Amino acid sequence: MTMTPLLDQINSPADLKKVPQASLPQLAEEIRDFIIKTISNTGGHLASSLGVVELTIALHYIYNTPVDKIIWDVGHQSYAHKILTGRRDRFHLMRQEDGLSGFPNIEESEYDCFGTGHASTSISAALGIAEARDRLEQDFNVIAVIGDGALGGGMAFEALNHAGDFEKKNLTVIVNDNKMSISPNVGALSSYLGRIITGARYNRFKGEVEALLKSIPSYGDQMLWHAKKLQERIKAFVVPEVIFQELGFKYVGPIEGHNFKHLLETLNNVRNLRGPILIHVVTKKGKGYNPSEKDAAAFHGVSPFYISNGHVKKHNSQPSYTDIFAKTLIHLAKKDPK
């Protein structure tokens, strides 16, 4: 009996749309198992693709690809995308001669509308495609999925600034916020996204407290009035102004990136809206495989490994270019303090 009964029936997004919504969590698990088993033999970028499985399914489930265009930033997120777009049977040839590219490749599939590796290029590419679409008087959606630290790149900021200036430009940017690039993100933008998430939790908590106070007989309204006064004093320390709105985007989120109900409802609601839209999706890098969840950095790009414990099957005795470069810099630095 096949271990992936749902996945075995899917060779295109058209097949995916036939799957009942209630079965999508099972499909996500089958895709994860398929990716883990394949990459354990071939090596590749594991943690990033595991974290984006539900989002990938939801995008192809709601949008009409390849007519609608999905541009993947840091293309190592695209394994589930490749599997769902007719390349499952060749997935074991990933990153091999005459096999599949490890990244989106426009020569490989009509579903890969922009060739990308690293990084921060998706919003610029999406804006260019959207502008060409409008000049040619065509009608389709353009979605940029940016993650793994790529939003912190200067080109991404430039593109956000440019795209937000087109108030009626139909363009969707999805921030896959997993708090990681190869290793944990640093910098002001990463901290800012964390404050947005904190703000969303604060707003949910505020609503629950208001409902509780209103339910108290006699004193509830008075207690609620005092609570709102206190709320205004602490709000500025907890809830940030959404910078994306100031740049001209409609901001939606943060959305739980492993919850199909939230993802499908959100994408379905925004796909026909006009103007630039930014959807903030929170995911976990390495989701669904315990070793990669515990150490996503180690499983960002991995050699063949044992699934049972995550240990690499065979260590390469030859030093990598990165090892040689790092050791050389350290050697030079020890000789020259400047």
Side-chain angles (χ1 to χ4, degrees), residues 162-210:
H162 191 184
D165 198 40
F166 292 92
E167 295 180 1
K168 297 182 179 180
K169 185 71 65 183
N170 185 15
L171 170 69
T172 300
V173 175
I174 297 177
V175 177
N176 173 28
D177 179 11
N178 58 20
K179 303 177 184 62
M180 299 281 287
S181 48
I182 294 176
S183 55
N185 284 335
V186 297
L189 183 63
S190 175
S191 299
Y192 173 76
L193 292 175
R195 288 182 61 220
I196 291 180
I197 295 169
T198 302
R201 291 171 182 157
Y202 163 82
N203 283 324
R204 284 196 299 271
F205 174 72
K206 177 173 72 76
E208 292 168 359
V209 170
E210 287 182 0

Side-chain angles (χ1 to χ4, degrees), residues 120-314:
S120 307
T121 58
S122 64
I123 305 175
S124 297
L127 180 58
I129 292 172
E131 177 67 14
R133 171 201 63 198
D134 294 347
R135 292 192 179 206
L136 294 171
E137 298 182 348
Q138 297 176 344
D139 184 20
F140 56 84
N141 291 288
V142 182
I143 307 101
V145 185
I146 185 166
D148 265 23
L151 189 62
M155 192 172 185
F157 279 107
E158 182 181 359
L160 284 171
N161 179 59
H162 191 184
D165 198 40
F166 292 92
E167 295 180 1
K168 297 182 179 180
K169 185 71 65 183
N170 185 15
L171 170 69
T172 300
V173 175
I174 297 177
V175 177
N176 173 28
D177 179 11
N178 58 20
K179 303 177 184 62
M180 299 281 287
S181 48
I182 294 176
S183 55
N185 284 335
V186 297
L189 183 63
S190 175
S191 299
Y192 173 76
L193 292 175
R195 288 182 61 220
I196 291 180
I197 295 169
T198 302
R201 291 171 182 157
Y202 163 82
N203 283 324
R204 284 196 299 271
F205 174 72
K206 177 173 72 76
E208 292 168 359
V209 170
E210 287 182 0
L212 175 63
L213 292 178
K214 285 180 180 179
S215 69
I216 299 175
S218 303
Y219 299 101
D221 290 340
Q222 185 177 2
M223 293 174 69
L224 180 59
W225 184 86
H226 286 290
K228 286 186 175 181
K229 289 294 183 183
L230 177 62
Q231 166 206 336
E232 293 304 319
R233 294 175 184 174
I234 67 173
K235 182 178 179 182
F237 295 100
V238 183
V239 183
E241 295 294 330
V242 181
I243 190 174
F244 306 113
Q245 291 178 352
E246 300 299 319
L247 287 169
F249 282 79
K250 297 182 183 74
Y251 173 84
V252 179
I255 304 299
E256 168 53 54
H258 303 296
N259 184 311
F260 276 112
K261 182 176 185 296
H262 294 173
L263 286 171
L264 295 174
E265 286 181 354
T266 300
L267 295 176
N268 194 51
N269 288 337
V270 306
R271 64 175 173 167
N272 294 320
L273 294 179
R274 302 299 299 175
I277 300 165
L278 188 139
I279 305 174
H280 182 182
V281 177
V282 180
T283 63
K284 183 175 182 61
K285 188 169 182 177
K287 172 75 173 177
Y289 180 51
N290 192 50
S292 66
E293 286 192 16
K294 288 184 176 180
D295 192 354
F299 283 86
H300 173 81
V302 65
S303 300
F305 61 94
Y306 296 103
I307 296 176
S308 60
N309 54 23
H311 294 168
V312 174
K313 290 181 177 178
K314 181 180 179 182

Side-chain angles (χ1 to χ4, degrees), residues 49-186:
S49 281
L50 292 181
V52 80
V53 170
E54 286 87 357
L55 176 59
T56 307
I57 294 172
L59 284 168
H60 284 293
Y61 201 83
I62 294 297
Y63 288 96
N64 181 30
T65 55
V67 176
D68 291 334
K69 312 301 182 188
I70 302 175
I71 300 103
W72 296 92
D73 217 318
V74 286
H76 53 247
Q77 298 182 95
S78 65
Y79 286 8
H81 162 77
K82 287 175 179 276
I83 291 167
L84 291 171
T85 54
R87 289 168 275 183
R88 172 171 47 86
D89 292 342
R90 293 184 293 148
F91 191 67
H92 65 286
L93 300 175
M94 178 81 68
R95 306 198 311 169
Q96 298 181 37
E97 187 175 2
D98 298 324
L100 296 180
S101 169
F103 301 92
N105 184 339
I106 58 176
E107 297 179 354
E108 184 177 287
S109 171
E110 62 179 339
Y111 292 93
D112 295 355
C113 58
F114 185 71
T116 181
H118 279 283
S120 307
T121 58
S122 64
I123 305 175
S124 297
L127 180 58
I129 292 172
E131 177 67 14
R133 171 201 63 198
D134 294 347
R135 292 192 179 206
L136 294 171
E137 298 182 348
Q138 297 176 344
D139 184 20
F140 56 84
N141 291 288
V142 182
I143 307 101
V145 185
I146 185 166
D148 265 23
L151 189 62
M155 192 172 185
F157 279 107
E158 182 181 359
L160 284 171
N161 179 59
H162 191 184
D165 198 40
F166 292 92
E167 295 180 1
K168 297 182 179 180
K169 185 71 65 183
N170 185 15
L171 170 69
T172 300
V173 175
I174 297 177
V175 177
N176 173 28
D177 179 11
N178 58 20
K179 303 177 184 62
M180 299 281 287
S181 48
I182 294 176
S183 55
N185 284 335
V186 297

Side-chain angles (χ1 to χ4, degrees), residues 304-332:
F305 61 94
Y306 296 103
I307 296 176
S308 60
N309 54 23
H311 294 168
V312 174
K313 290 181 177 178
K314 181 180 179 182
H315 289 282
N316 187 351
S317 59
Q318 298 296 323
S320 69
Y321 175 86
T322 304
D323 292 334
I324 295 171
F325 184 78
K327 289 178 180 178
T328 302
L329 280 180
I330 293 170
H331 173 72
L332 293 173

